[in-house]
Amino acid sequence: AAMTKVLIVEDELLLLEVIADELRDAGFEVIEATTGEEALERCEQQLADVLFTDIRLPGRVDGWDIAERCRAANPDLPVIYATGYTAAPVRRVPGSLFFHKPYKPSRVVAAIRDLTARMGGERRA
């Protein structure tokens, strides 16, 4: 079975590394992006099986945009948002999860495992 690929979009490099390391240790393949623009490029290439994105990002593209654009390209993509702000306008794509910062990386790993299990591993034969 191919490894599940997780696209992580996070502009705080320290946090990005922590999450990426945790996911790699858990057996996932990690694709990193630090801006929304970079994330959209990755989405267009449809490399990821799961999207984990911060909502507040530098540049013109935020996490809401990323999820919507990625879902347009890949309607079944599981999405997890992360934010340190509670006042964010809620534009969640259907079926998405939400983590408030600071979150435990282990909980994110568990959530991603759960999402990919629910998608049914049969399509990655």
Side-chain angles (χ1 to χ4, degrees):
M3 284 168 91
T4 299
K5 296 185 188 71
V6 182
L7 171 57
I8 306 174
V9 191
E10 173 57 70
D11 61 312
E12 290 174 51
L13 295 177
L14 203 65
L15 185 54
L16 178 65
E17 283 312 306
V18 168
I19 286 284
D21 288 347
E22 189 95 17
L23 281 164
R24 286 189 186 108
D25 289 348
F28 292 101
E29 198 175 313
V30 175
I31 303 163
E32 300 179 9
T34 53
T35 66
E37 287 79 2
E38 201 184 336
L40 291 180
E41 275 172 36
R42 304 276 183 277
C43 282
E44 275 159 27
Q45 296 161 327
Q46 294 205 23
L47 302 174
D49 301 303
V50 179
L51 170 65
F52 179 63
T53 184
D54 192 10
I55 289 168
R56 278 282 185 91
L57 294 161
R60 289 192 304 276
V61 180
D62 65 14
W64 305 119
D65 298 326
I66 295 165
E68 286 161 10
R69 301 268 289 278
C70 290
R71 273 282 177 92
N74 179 359
D76 296 326
L77 183 72
V79 174
I80 303 175
Y81 298 102
T83 183
Y85 303 87
T86 44
V90 178
R91 270 170 57 196
R92 297 164 67 162
V93 293
S96 56
L97 299 177
F98 207 83
F99 276 87
H100 280 291
K101 291 179 176 183
Y103 48 77
K104 285 200 178 78
S106 58
R107 282 193 56 211
V108 173
V109 171
I112 290 173
R113 279 216 171 107
D114 189 49
L115 281 172
T116 50
R118 251 185 296 169
M119 284 159 57
E122 72 274 0
R123 71 185 189 98
R124 36 186 96 281

